[in-house]
Amino acid sequence: MEACLAPFAGPFLAANPEVSLELISDAARVDIVENGFDAGVRFGEDLARDMIAVPLGGPLRYLVLGTPAYLERHGRPEHPEDLLRHRCVRHRFPSGGIFPWEFEKGGRKVTITPEGPLTVNDPRMTLRAGLDGVGLIRLAEDYVRPGIATGQLVPVLEDWCPSLPSWFLYYPSRRQMSVAFRTFLDFVARHGAAPTGSGHLYHLE
């Protein structure tokens, strides 16, 4: 939540003090119309036809990382299938499914369902577990860049981690747009953003 939405909230509200902004973080697939939200954020363009999608930032990349101590003790994976022999920190969706780790190189795609001692449902817990050496983690590059810079985390399988489409802000095309929401859209268009979370919902008044 903080990596995706916090950079928006302060500047937007400072520029528009008359607007009330509500932000909800939920990894479940939510019907924004049924639940009364003005917009949502979703990865890629997997959206209903009656939605308008606005890209937020440029392409992003998910990386697999471990601490230097973990990699010294367990070795570096050289192929995605090597991950099946590693301790991985898994992410569980609200639906109950485990987030698959997807890789691509030279036109070949490999999908791994990771195994490991810890399963979480929040990227902050994933990052904490990775920094603590619990196992290998997979997170968006922007989210782990500070850990890479300090040497606390080391990327592996980088040649198997291609760039992916950006996150999209989406909203219904047929709903009458409020003045507040139009102001928010204009703000996003002027300032841009690169969210790294998912399932975020917006409500403005």
Side-chain angles (χ1 to χ4, degrees):
M1 165 70 95
E2 76 281 1
C4 180
L5 300 183
F8 273 124
F12 174 73
L13 293 174
N16 301 275
E18 74 285 0
V19 176
S20 174
L21 175 64
E22 180 179 351
L23 307 175
I24 305 296
S25 180
D26 191 335
R29 294 180 73 88
V30 174
D31 186 324
I32 61 172
V33 175
E34 181 178 331
N35 287 274
F37 292 102
D38 292 296
V41 172
R42 188 172 294 174
F43 179 67
E45 297 178 303
D46 181 22
L47 301 169
R49 292 182 179 179
D50 61 346
M51 294 290 172
I52 297 174
V54 179
L56 295 170
L60 57 101
R61 189 164 69 138
Y62 276 83
L63 297 177
V64 177
L65 311 100
T67 62
Y70 175 90
L71 296 174
E72 182 178 353
R73 185 163 58 252
H74 297 280
R76 294 176 63 102
E78 301 296 334
H79 187 278
E81 293 179 355
D82 295 341
L83 295 171
L84 297 174
R85 298 187 291 273
H86 277 266
R87 297 163 60 88
C88 299
V89 178
R90 312 191 313 164
H91 182 98
R92 187 180 298 280
F93 292 119
S95 63
I98 295 296
F99 180 51
W101 293 11
E102 298 177 342
F103 303 91
E104 183 176 353
K105 179 180 179 181
R108 183 185 177 192
K109 297 183 179 181
V110 178
T111 300
I112 299 295
T113 300
E115 296 292 340
L118 179 64
T119 302
V120 300
N121 68 348
D122 187 286
R124 292 167 295 187
M125 291 189 285
T126 301
L127 179 59
R128 182 70 263 167
L131 291 169
D132 289 344
V134 172
L136 297 177
I137 61 173
R138 184 173 183 261
L139 285 171
E141 186 172 11
D142 285 349
Y143 208 81
V144 296
R145 188 169 286 121
I148 296 173
T150 59
Q152 293 173 285
L153 292 171
V154 178
V156 297
L157 299 172
E158 288 186 89
D159 55 338
W160 280 93
C161 299
S163 294
L164 302 171
S166 69
W167 294 96
F168 287 81
L169 181 145
Y170 67 98
Y171 57 95
S173 60
R174 299 178 183 177
R175 179 192 289 174
Q176 182 68 32
M177 188 180 299
S178 68
V179 174
F181 184 52
R182 167 51 64 188
T183 302
F184 182 76
L185 285 179
D186 291 343
F187 181 88
V188 170
R190 289 197 307 272
H191 296 86
T196 56
S198 65
H200 301 302
L201 309 170
Y202 301 76
H203 183 71
L204 301 101
E205 298 176 348

